[in-house]
Amino acid sequence: METVNSNTSQVFCIGLGECGSNLVGSYLARSKKGELPPRIREYLVMNTDRGDLLKARQKYSISSKRTLLYSDAEIGVGGKFSAGFDAVISSEDIILNQLQALGYEGISGFCIFTSFGGGTGCGGTPALIRLLRKRFAEQEKRKIFIYVFGVLPFNNQSSEAVNSVWALSKLLRLQLEEGNMGPDLILLLSNRTMLERVLSMQRGESVDLLSRQTGNDLADLSKEKLKSTTPIILGQDSNEFPTQLEEQFVELINPLALESIAEMLSPGVPEIGKEVLPTTDIGDFALKLDSVVVPAMFNDLTVFPEVGGMGSQLNTAIEYTVSNCSLTNMGNNPAASSVFSVLSGSRDIARVEFDPFLKKSLTPFLAKGASISPTYCAYDDDATKASLLLLFGLPKIPELHDILEEAKSLIQLHSGDSELKQHWFKRSKGTTREELINAVNDLEKLFGYYITPEQKST
Ligand SMILES: Nc1nc2c(ncn2[C@@H]2O[C@H](COP(=O)(O)OP(=O)(O)OP(=O)(O)O)[C@@H](O)[C@H]2O)c(=O)[nH]1
Ligand SMILES: [Mg+2]
């Protein structure tokens, strides 16, 4: 396997569809003085929906050369992922031309941001990855890394659940094609998990704002009470997720997702007074992790090396990170196949000597034989806040069980002898019932044996 040169890696970010555009827009608009964060060469925000693209452009002040409206639909594809797929295929030239105009030659890798529940991003991502892989293999004769940051839907969005199952299966199957036509990593960011995290962890101003807008005093509600008294908020008992709340929720959620994304890009960024051991850059994650990854980030880590007992302090921090900070719920027993940890902080905290402690504390969350890759980002500055990023490869994901059940129910609903009934598959998704059943089977085989309902955590 060819390796990625970690010393010179520069990354190109692409936001596909509405969710992808928002994530890329809010990530890169955060940068100071309009400069891109180090190691981000450029970015492009793409959509098949003119209105949404314009909205993203205005909201995040994105220049027109960094946006691309493609396909002739102009109003999005309404969740029909096959149309999202075809839209990329029929616009390959204009996509490559615009990437070239932005300067993507010599790039080490791409980060693609998308939802898995919509149509433009969900369907377009596999087609885009294939296009990029071919372009670099044919013209630059080299391998690039491609990471997909994919957003899983809220509860009870069955049509989005179907799309998510299709997307995951499609992306993983593309990896099996000669030359790997799929992504190196799929990072799962779950809207339902992130919403719960935000509501329970960040009961500050943002929740007050949401409370005023929804008429619910969210700050005053425990998670259980929230579920029972306002089922609509978490979509527990309603048939459909309330779209009017969705926009407000994603505003709260996106900053949480971006923390982990920014941290993933950071170890390889050179800074004065910073030392990274072992040398690590974003491309290395692909070499050490299984291809489906759940990030968990504790960005306000407080440990006190001077007090001693670093083993137990780190143990507590890791337990907390796994159970409270993962961006997709991994339940109580993730049994992951691999993990990458990045401990950042002052030289007292980010020390290679802590390797045995970290490994010991991570072991209960891993399957037997799993690989552990710790990295330490040490800063001269004593005041630097400490943080811990854990990337779990192929963990148990109870939520995928729910998504699969939602998808199966919808598939079942439209199945039957009637040709007219089955027409739904063609009309709404542009695919066959068989293709969706195969996608369900793929995920049940990959994850099913350990995502039984009993293993669901609260
Ligand atoms: N976290 C997060 N989720 C979002 C955001 N915008 C949309 N979503 C989620 O994305 C899903 C809908 O997908 P979109 O990204 O809107 O769809 P699209 O790719 O534009 O495709 P079409 O609209 O079908 O053409 C839903 O699950 C939304 O909750 C966002 O900014 N952040
Ligand atoms: Mg859209």
Side-chain angles (χ1 to χ4, degrees):
M1 185 180 177
E2 283 165 290
T3 56
V4 174
N5 182 347
S6 59
N7 291 325
T8 55
S9 64
Q10 274 212 305
V11 182
F12 202 112
C13 292
I14 300 180
L16 200 51
E18 185 178 357
C19 177
S21 302
N22 285 337
L23 286 173
V24 169
S26 46
Y27 173 38
L28 298 173
R30 288 176 0 145
S31 57
K32 295 182 197 100
K33 295 183 244 150
E35 283 168 20
L36 294 177
R39 295 291 165 109
I40 306 275
R41 166 87 62 89
E42 258 304 341
Y43 68 93
L44 179 65
V45 160
M46 302 169 46
N47 209 335
T48 58
D49 185 317
R50 183 185 288 277
D52 282 350
L53 193 63
L54 201 62
K55 216 162 66 183
R57 251 188 86 174
Q58 286 167 345
K59 188 165 176 192
Y60 306 110
S61 309
I62 304 172
S63 64
S64 64
K65 66 172 186 172
R66 287 169 169 157
T67 61
L68 175 64
L69 177 72
Y70 65 102
S71 99
D72 45 19
E74 299 217 354
I75 50 162
V77 298
K80 190 171 178 177
F81 56 76
S82 61
F85 187 89
D86 294 343
V88 167
I89 302 283
S90 62
S91 309
E92 289 189 341
D93 289 346
I94 65 158
I95 294 171
L96 288 181
N97 284 345
Q98 187 138 354
L99 289 171
Q100 188 163 32
L102 287 168
Y104 76 152
E105 265 86 13
I107 209 81
S108 294
F110 287 86
C111 292
I112 300 175
F113 298 80
T114 181
S115 60
F116 282 149
T120 298
C122 160
T125 297
L128 182 62
I129 293 172
R130 204 191 189 113
L131 175 66
L132 295 172
R133 288 250 185 256
K134 283 198 164 155
R135 155 69 179 72
F136 279 84
E138 281 165 15
Q139 289 182 22
E140 295 196 19
K141 307 263 181 293
R142 67 191 179 90
K143 185 172 154 34
I144 46 169
F145 67 78
I146 299 183
Y147 295 170
V148 172
F149 293 85
V151 172
L152 294 171
F154 290 107
N155 278 3
N156 295 328
Q157 294 185 305
S158 56
S159 177
E160 299 207 358
V162 164
N163 289 14
S164 303
V165 168
W166 176 84
L168 277 169
S169 153
K170 181 83 183 172
L171 292 172
L172 291 167
R173 290 234 157 239
L174 280 174
Q175 294 179 334
L176 305 180
E177 285 189 16
E178 193 167 342
N180 176 15
M181 288 295 141
D184 293 292
L185 295 182
I186 304 168
L187 292 114
L188 294 181
L189 318 175
S190 151
N191 271 350
R192 64 187 83 182
T193 300
M194 292 191 290
L195 178 61
E196 287 197 11
R197 302 260 186 259
V198 170
L199 291 181
S200 65
M201 281 162 46
Q202 301 179 358
R203 295 181 189 282
E205 240 175 72
S206 50
V207 175
D208 288 344
L209 176 73
L210 186 63
S211 305
R212 281 200 299 277
Q213 283 169 343
T214 61
N216 291 299
D217 186 4
L218 301 187
D220 198 33
L221 294 170
S222 67
K223 198 173 103 191
E224 283 315 305
K225 210 169 152 199
L226 188 65
K227 278 184 187 168
S228 61
T229 57
T230 53
I232 196 169
I233 299 295
L234 292 178
Q236 296 291 310
D237 301 320
S238 59
N239 291 328
E240 234 173 67
F241 193 85
T243 44
Q244 75 274 20
L245 286 178
E246 200 171 302
E247 273 192 30
Q248 294 158 10
F249 283 155
V250 299
E251 294 285 324
L252 292 177
I253 286 170
N254 288 352
L256 189 65
L258 295 176
E259 277 175 5
S260 304
I261 294 165
E263 189 67 11
M264 270 188 78
L265 287 161
S266 75
V269 175
E271 287 172 60
I272 295 165
K274 171 183 174 187
E275 186 183 22
V276 180
L277 283 174
T279 311
T280 301
D281 207 346
I282 182 168
D284 296 319
F285 298 136
L287 306 174
K288 302 274 175 61
L289 287 166
D290 293 82
S291 51
V292 179
V293 171
V294 172
M297 162 91 179
F298 189 177
N299 77 345
D300 207 4
L301 181 70
T302 39
V303 287
F304 302 98
E306 65 280 10
V307 178
M310 273 304 280
S312 79
Q313 291 191 51
L314 283 174
N315 191 50
T316 308
I318 285 173
E319 281 178 5
Y320 180 82
T321 309
V322 174
S323 55
N324 294 289
C325 308
S326 69
L327 297 189
T328 298
N329 190 345
M330 300 183 290
N332 302 320
N333 180 21
S337 303
S338 49
V339 65
F340 210 114
S341 74
V342 182
L343 178 61
S344 303
S346 68
R347 289 188 186 278
D348 284 353
I349 292 171
R351 288 174 54 179
V352 181
E353 288 80 354
F354 295 150
D355 244 30
F357 296 148
L358 265 173
K359 285 183 173 153
K360 188 164 174 240
S361 304
L362 283 167
T363 301
F365 303 110
L366 304 176
K368 201 164 170 234
S371 70
I372 308 180
S373 312
T375 283
Y376 301 86
C377 291
Y379 294 85
D380 282 344
D381 182 359
D382 282 348
T384 311
K385 272 202 311 194
S387 68
L388 178 66
L389 172 71
L390 300 175
L391 299 169
F392 286 94
L394 214 59
K396 292 181 187 181
I397 304 172
E399 193 169 305
L400 276 183
H401 174 268
D402 299 347
I403 288 178
L404 277 162
E405 289 308 306
E406 284 171 24
K408 276 161 45 182
S409 304
L410 191 61
I411 293 169
Q412 186 57 36
L413 185 70
H414 294 285
S415 301
D417 291 340
S418 163
E419 232 179 285
L420 297 173
K421 201 171 175 190
Q422 288 220 22
H423 184 56
W424 177 84
F425 292 99
K426 189 95 213 133
R427 195 171 63 83
S428 290
K429 301 295 173 194
T431 184
T432 58
R433 181 175 177 276
E434 286 64 41
E435 188 178 3
L436 294 183
I437 298 274
N438 288 341
V440 166
N441 288 341
D442 268 350
L443 292 204
E444 288 199 325
K445 278 190 197 137
L446 186 59
F447 294 100
Y449 69 98
Y450 51 46
I451 47 171
T452 60
E454 300 78 65
Q455 288 172 321
K456 284 170 66 176
S457 74
T458 51

